[in-house]
Amino acid sequence: MRYLPKSRWKKAGLVLLLIFGLIQFIPGPERNISSATAHKGMEQLYPMPDSIMQILKAACYDCHSNNTNYPWYSTIQPVAWFLNRHIVEGKEELNFDEFETYSKRRQQSKLKSIASQVKDGDMPLTSYKLLHKKARLSGKERSMITKWFLEKYDTSKN
């Protein structure tokens, strides 16, 4: 394998820097911020203790609700596109603010799935936890979430 001379590395670096600078002028995706209060949210259907709500808001709501708390770096491209993809995919899978609109069967499935994924450490995503300390759930918090969602799952089946 042949190595590029230093001057070519400099040119390649300048081209990449120029591309990075230019993509900053491309408008970012629409932000996931709603001024409406959630009247169809999970907390209306299943009132929850403040301790559970605080954990969900810190670890889940940025990607699974109609309101994302955006970090400072969310305006930098291509980070904004990456974050938007996560939010769109997250809301397609589960949206706490639209939970009441789900069929009873889907609600039951989501309650069980949330408990399972939190218990197994699949949620929140590792990429999210790297930048959000509050989303790093302790064993106790995982246990609380798992227990609460499984209780709601058991009572919703009847």
Side-chain angles (χ1 to χ4, degrees):
M1 182 175 169
R2 211 171 139 186
Y3 292 101
L4 293 174
K6 285 185 180 183
S7 63
R8 287 199 180 181
W9 280 113
K10 285 182 182 179
K11 287 179 185 176
L14 286 173
V15 167
L16 287 174
L17 189 61
L18 179 64
I19 291 170
F20 179 78
L22 290 174
I23 65 172
Q24 301 313 307
F25 293 103
I26 299 172
E30 187 176 327
R31 288 180 155 313
N32 182 44
I33 299 175
S34 173
S35 58
T37 48
H39 294 290
K40 299 176 182 174
M42 176 178 272
E43 60 272 16
Q44 276 72 36
L45 192 58
Y46 300 102
M48 60 185 73
D50 286 341
S51 57
I52 299 294
M53 180 54 87
Q54 288 174 355
I55 295 169
L56 293 179
K57 290 211 179 216
C60 310
Y61 269 54
D62 278 348
C63 294
H64 295 287
S65 79
N66 292 332
N67 283 295
T68 299
N69 182 16
Y70 286 93
W72 66 269
Y73 52 83
S74 66
T75 57
I76 299 169
Q77 304 300 4
V79 175
W81 300 322
F82 176 77
L83 291 176
N84 185 63
R85 185 174 57 86
H86 273 280
I87 293 165
V88 168
E89 289 174 359
K91 285 175 62 176
E92 284 175 359
E93 187 62 34
L94 169 68
N95 187 336
F96 287 109
D97 289 338
E98 304 294 330
F99 197 82
E100 202 172 17
T101 65
Y102 297 166
S103 70
K104 195 71 168 164
R105 183 179 177 150
R106 185 170 185 209
Q107 287 176 10
Q108 291 172 357
S109 172
K110 292 300 174 189
L111 290 169
K112 189 175 180 183
S113 177
I114 292 165
S116 174
Q117 290 185 20
V118 169
K119 180 183 177 190
D120 294 344
D122 296 335
M123 282 289 159
L125 295 175
T126 302
S127 59
Y128 185 78
K129 291 185 289 188
L130 287 173
L131 298 171
H132 299 86
K133 281 186 176 181
K134 291 180 181 178
R136 298 175 194 162
L137 304 180
S138 68
K140 181 182 177 186
E141 290 171 323
R142 283 190 189 289
S143 179
M144 286 172 51
I145 293 292
T146 300
K147 181 180 177 203
W148 190 85
F149 277 95
L150 284 177
E151 285 174 0
K152 297 308 159 199
Y153 170 74
D154 288 338
T155 58
S156 73
K157 289 192 308 187
N158 300 327

